[in-house]
Amino acid sequence: MAEDNLDPEIEELTLDENALLEEILDEFGESRRKFLGRSSTAALTAVVLEFVAKRNAYGGVPDSVGDAPSGDENTISLAFRVNGVEKTLTLDSRVTLLDALRERLALTGTKKGCDHGQCGACTVIIDGRRVLSCLTLTAQCEGREVTTIEGLAKGETLHPLQAAFVKHDGFQCGFCTSGQICSAVALLQEAKNGDLSYVSTDFRQKPRSLELSDDELRERMSGNLCRCGAYPNILNAIREVHLGRPTEPELPQFTQNGGPA
């Protein structure tokens, strides 16, 4: 009989494993002994992984907007604007803005890179300020304005920075590009506000628009990493939009022995 041929590795289960197994059985509608009797360790592992992935999909957030997860003690409802459109979500209070944008609102232009706030791929703009959406709780966005890469263009007309990135080939694989562009958009607004950075040298008190040097641009964009190494082209694109006039790419200087100057 099936129960006499159990894999020895799955005969004894912990309390947590038993609880998970009961959930799986409810999902598949099978008896415990029948399910275990016909399953090898490898097969059980695959089923468990599939079930856990399904249960935890979207960080425990339900598929449809507005539906609260069953039995969730941390559910909240909030309203905010995303790319100029009012949105209302009901979700777990611990869901990050990155996951809400991608999994609940289908705005997949914002990328999940390191998920630790170190690469900048998930950068979006909240109330004019750039933020890392992987480190921002959706609950913090109540009543605020969120702008993602999808909200920068006006219909078929690209944002000037988007057009400049295309012109100067400021991307290769493109994975970091949405975060780079969102960061650059907010950076240029910071310059207009007269916000200083770590490498600023002019500390006059009166707020005014700053003309940023290449060193300033590099420093202010240092939180956005590009694994393809397209930094010179990214710099050229941002510089052109910042100065408001076409600029020629700066070519690297070399010494007579062929090394960089």
Side-chain angles (χ1 to χ4, degrees):
M1 295 178 61
E3 58 247 43
D4 296 327
N5 297 311
L6 295 180
D7 189 317
E9 296 182 30
I10 60 175
E11 286 187 301
E12 295 186 4
L13 300 177
T14 66
L15 291 176
D16 288 341
E17 289 169 337
N18 270 299
L20 179 59
L21 179 58
E22 293 303 322
E23 291 189 57
I24 295 174
L25 294 176
D26 287 342
E27 177 77 14
F28 289 94
E30 295 196 39
S31 70
R32 177 187 180 92
R33 301 300 294 178
K34 180 180 178 182
F35 182 77
L36 290 178
R38 72 177 190 180
S39 302
S40 66
T41 301
L44 272 178
T45 300
V47 171
V48 169
L49 289 176
E50 179 183 357
F51 176 80
V52 172
K54 180 180 178 181
R55 188 185 64 179
N56 294 336
Y58 314 140
V61 181
D63 295 335
S64 57
V65 172
D67 290 340
S70 176
D72 196 332
E73 298 179 357
N74 300 291
T75 301
I76 61 169
S77 294
L78 70 154
F80 59 114
R81 291 176 62 83
V82 181
N83 298 329
V85 180
E86 291 287 347
K87 299 291 183 181
T88 301
L89 294 179
T90 300
L91 39 63
D92 191 296
S93 62
R94 298 161 293 183
V95 173
T96 65
L97 177 59
L98 174 59
D99 286 336
L101 291 172
R102 290 182 57 83
E103 311 298 349
R104 298 296 300 278
L105 300 177
L107 295 172
T108 55
T110 304
K111 303 303 181 187
K112 178 175 285 196
C114 66
D115 213 21
H116 286 75
Q118 297 175 345
C119 71
C122 69
T123 303
V124 298
I125 303 169
I126 299 181
D127 293 340
R129 294 281 183 176
R130 47 185 165 162
V131 302
L132 298 170
S133 60
C134 75
L135 299 184
T136 303
L137 293 176
T138 313
Q140 297 174 263
C141 300
E142 173 74 41
R144 305 177 74 180
E145 177 76 39
V146 178
T147 303
T148 71
I149 189 68
E150 291 92 344
L152 295 181
K154 303 300 182 183
E156 298 297 319
T157 303
L158 295 178
H159 186 281
L161 269 167
Q162 291 175 306
F165 265 67
V166 174
K167 173 184 175 181
H168 290 280
D169 195 20
F171 53 90
Q172 290 184 34
C173 77
F175 191 84
C176 74
T177 305
S178 57
Q180 297 273 1
I181 293 176
C182 285
S183 187
V185 169
L187 178 159
L188 297 184
Q189 186 59 51
E190 292 167 6
K192 291 180 180 179
N193 296 341
D195 296 346
L196 302 178
S197 77
Y198 181 75
V199 298
S200 298
T201 57
D202 188 350
F203 297 99
R204 288 176 294 177
Q205 296 299 311
K206 185 178 180 180
R208 81 276 181 228
S209 180
L210 297 173
E211 182 168 315
L212 304 179
S213 66
D214 284 358
D215 284 342
E216 280 269 17
L217 292 175
R218 291 189 186 97
E219 195 277 334
R220 291 173 187 249
M221 289 295 296
S222 61
N224 291 83
L225 305 183
C226 172
R227 295 192 68 176
C228 300
Y231 297 115
N233 298 348
I234 292 171
L235 176 63
N236 292 331
I238 300 173
R239 183 200 304 116
E240 179 169 307
V241 177
H242 173 53
L243 296 178
R245 60 178 184 272
T247 60
E248 293 298 324
E250 290 188 3
L251 299 177
Q253 302 297 314
F254 294 93
T255 60
Q256 289 184 347
N257 63 10

